[in-house]
């Protein structure tokens, strides 16, 4: 079922609208916002992984629902040692959590004024998730977004256990799937031209929900890779991409959990 599906990358961008076009284009529209990061992903993957994956998913969602693509949010919430290697490796550009919540809140309030029918937010950076949800909830969406359904998620949240059991039998937890099998495979499918030949693997991923100081970077990771990359390939990345897309389609077609008041 996942074979031979064609990705769409060229979609209608919100930024290409003119001001007079906005009210008509937004009437009944779905806005899709990729929220990414710029973070070290070992010696084989580019810094933009956490942006590239939600951006590709967002483009496909926009194409599938006839929506509009918002410019992606490019920077990371602070990378933490046990879920992203932290700041022990060069390249990560991050925004502190309090400022990130403020920044997202301002973005959300501005988006609310557009009154789209639906706002879909796709997160690609592990440490963003709680802050993103706090920003949305903190806006008091019942008041701020009275006419807009909001669906926000990290892409990995839509990967089903059955899929993982079949394709990632040694699954270390999503905190440790950092530059590991799933991200490497997705990047080999989405942007093979930027994936380097090195394939470091790390046999002892850090446990979830544990922070340690002092941290031994060489015990925690292998060159910034937190888990196994063994078996990574474009074919697995393609399967995973369309599995997540199917999950997004199901999530969106399920409709609001609680209908908005009339
Ligand atoms: Zn990542």
């Amino acid at each position: 079922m996942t074979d031979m599906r064609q990705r769409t990358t060229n979609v209608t961008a919100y930024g290409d609208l003119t001001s007079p076009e906005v009210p008509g284009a937004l009437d009944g529209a779905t806005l899709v916002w990729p929220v990414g990061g710029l973070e070290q992903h070992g010696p084989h993957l580019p810094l933009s992984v956490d942006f590239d994956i939600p951006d590709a998913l967002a483009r496909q969602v926009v194409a599938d629902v006839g929506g509009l693509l918002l410019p992606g949010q490019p920077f990371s919430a602070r990378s933490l040692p046990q879920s992203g290697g932290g700041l022990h490796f060069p390249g990560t550009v991050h925004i502190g959590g309090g400022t990130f919540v403020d920044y997202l809140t301002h973005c959300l309030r501005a988006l609310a004024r557009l009154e789209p029918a639906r706002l879909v937010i796709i997160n690609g950076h592990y440490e963003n998730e709680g802050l993103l949800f706090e920003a949305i909830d903190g806006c008091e969406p019942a008041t701020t977004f009275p006419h807009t359904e909001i669906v926000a998620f990290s892409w990995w949240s839509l990967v089903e256990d059955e899929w993982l059991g079949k394709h990632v039998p040694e699954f270390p937890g999503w905190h440790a799937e950092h530059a590991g099998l799933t991200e490497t495979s997705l990047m080999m499918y989405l942007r093979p031209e930027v994936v380097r030949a090195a394939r470091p693997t790390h046999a002892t991923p850090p446990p979830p929900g544990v922070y340690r100081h002092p941290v031994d970077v060489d015990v925690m990771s292998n060159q910034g890779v937190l888990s196994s990359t063994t078996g990574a390939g474009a074919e697995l990345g393609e399967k995973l991409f369309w599995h997540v897309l199917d999950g997004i389609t199901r999530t969106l077609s399920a409709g609001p959990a609680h209908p908005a008041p009339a």
Side-chain angles (χ1 to χ4, degrees):
M1 148 174 202
T2 56
D3 292 341
M4 304 303 291
R5 287 164 77 175
Q6 288 294 315
R7 278 203 302 132
T8 308
T9 53
N10 194 11
V11 295
T12 309
Y14 174 78
D16 287 347
L17 298 175
T18 64
S19 172
E21 289 168 349
V22 169
L26 267 290
D27 187 20
T30 296
L31 278 179
V32 187
W33 191 24
V35 171
L38 198 55
E39 182 190 35
Q40 77 81 22
H41 278 75
H44 63 307
L45 295 178
L47 302 168
S48 62
V49 168
D50 292 354
F51 178 87
D52 293 338
I53 295 170
D55 183 67
L57 289 164
R59 284 170 190 277
Q60 195 61 47
V61 172
V62 167
D64 290 352
V65 305
L68 291 158
L69 179 72
L70 287 164
Q73 193 298 125
F75 299 115
S76 296
R78 188 183 182 94
S79 176
L80 297 172
Q82 282 81 358
S83 52
L87 305 182
H88 299 280
F89 302 89
T92 301
V93 179
H94 81 278
I95 305 168
T99 302
F100 195 53
V101 171
D102 270 357
Y103 164 82
L104 292 171
T105 301
H106 282 278
C107 292
L108 289 163
R109 290 189 184 280
L111 292 170
R113 293 177 56 204
L114 303 174
E115 298 190 351
R118 191 162 56 180
L119 175 62
V120 179
I121 305 175
I122 307 177
N123 174 46
H125 175 65
Y126 187 83
E127 292 88 343
N128 286 352
E129 186 182 278
L131 302 169
L132 172 63
F133 292 172
E134 179 175 338
I136 298 169
D137 203 61
C139 280
E140 301 195 6
T143 312
T144 310
F145 287 92
H147 308 297
T148 302
E149 179 192 356
I150 302 173
V151 185
F153 52 89
S154 300
W155 66 258
W156 52 87
S157 301
L158 301 188
V159 180
E160 295 182 335
D161 290 346
E162 191 185 341
W163 192 96
L164 279 179
K166 186 171 168 196
H167 298 287
V168 194
E170 311 270 295
F171 183 63
W174 287 112
H175 72 289
E177 261 301 318
H178 178 80
L181 180 57
T182 56
E183 284 188 321
T184 303
S185 296
L186 281 166
M187 289 302 288
M188 290 172 77
Y189 172 53
L190 298 172
R191 299 194 63 208
E193 71 280 7
V194 296
V195 179
R196 284 30 166 209
R199 206 62 86 233
T201 195
H202 187 231
T204 54
V210 176
Y211 186 96
R212 296 190 76 115
H213 169 79
V215 62
D216 183 334
V217 175
D218 294 324
V219 170
M220 177 192 69
S221 84
N222 179 358
Q223 304 163 67
V225 176
L226 299 192
S227 56
S228 174
T229 55
T230 304
E235 198 179 321
L236 182 63
E238 181 176 15
K239 285 188 178 127
L240 179 52
F241 180 85
W242 292 106
H243 175 73
V244 173
L245 219 285
D246 288 343
I248 296 174
T249 303
R250 271 196 307 278
T251 302
L252 296 184
S253 61
H258 304 287

